[in-house]
Amino acid sequence: MRLYLTLALAAVASAAPALMRRDMNGAVAAYNTIAGSANDAALVSNVNTFYSNLNGVADPTDIAQSEKQVSDQIQANNRNKVPTSQTAAWVASVLVHFVQ
């Protein structure tokens, strides 16, 4: 599972420049799905969707920094068997500054 999370986040990070430019409305819509993620795979998917919508809208350095922080914490929480709801709440708190 850890490898899956790492690969999924790495794939989005490397593909981000090639993705079509999205808008803040899409990022907000994706952000709203994060807290309700049913499991870790859904959480990773929702976070990936958020970042793909944020591409071209926010500062690339800020995005890269938060991607690393979120990826590391999701992996750590997965290793420690932290409930998805708790991980999702933490991720949402880290990403909220992008949509305020």
Side-chain angles (χ1 to χ4, degrees), residues 1 4-5 37-46 48 84:
M1 184 66 165
Y4 170 77
L5 292 173
S37 299
N39 54 46
D40 285 342
L43 176 60
V44 169
S45 176
N46 292 338
N48 289 344
T84 300

Side-chain angles (χ1 to χ4, degrees), residues 7-71:
L7 291 176
L9 288 174
V12 166
S14 65
L19 293 173
M20 186 172 83
R21 182 181 171 145
R22 305 298 174 105
D23 61 19
M24 189 53 74
N25 291 335
V28 170
Y31 173 81
N32 291 333
T33 65
I34 291 172
S37 299
N39 54 46
D40 285 342
L43 176 60
V44 169
S45 176
N46 292 338
V47 168
N48 289 344
T49 301
F50 174 77
Y51 282 126
S52 70
N53 280 286
L54 202 59
N55 185 41
V57 178
D59 176 41
T61 304
D62 196 16
I63 292 172
Q65 188 175 31
S66 73
E67 279 180 328
K68 179 168 177 20
Q69 183 181 15
V70 167
S71 175

Side-chain angles (χ1 to χ4, degrees), residues 68-79:
K68 179 168 177 20
Q69 183 181 15
V70 167
S71 175
D72 291 348
Q73 191 64 43
I74 289 173
Q75 290 175 39
N77 286 2
N78 186 25
R79 274 192 305 273

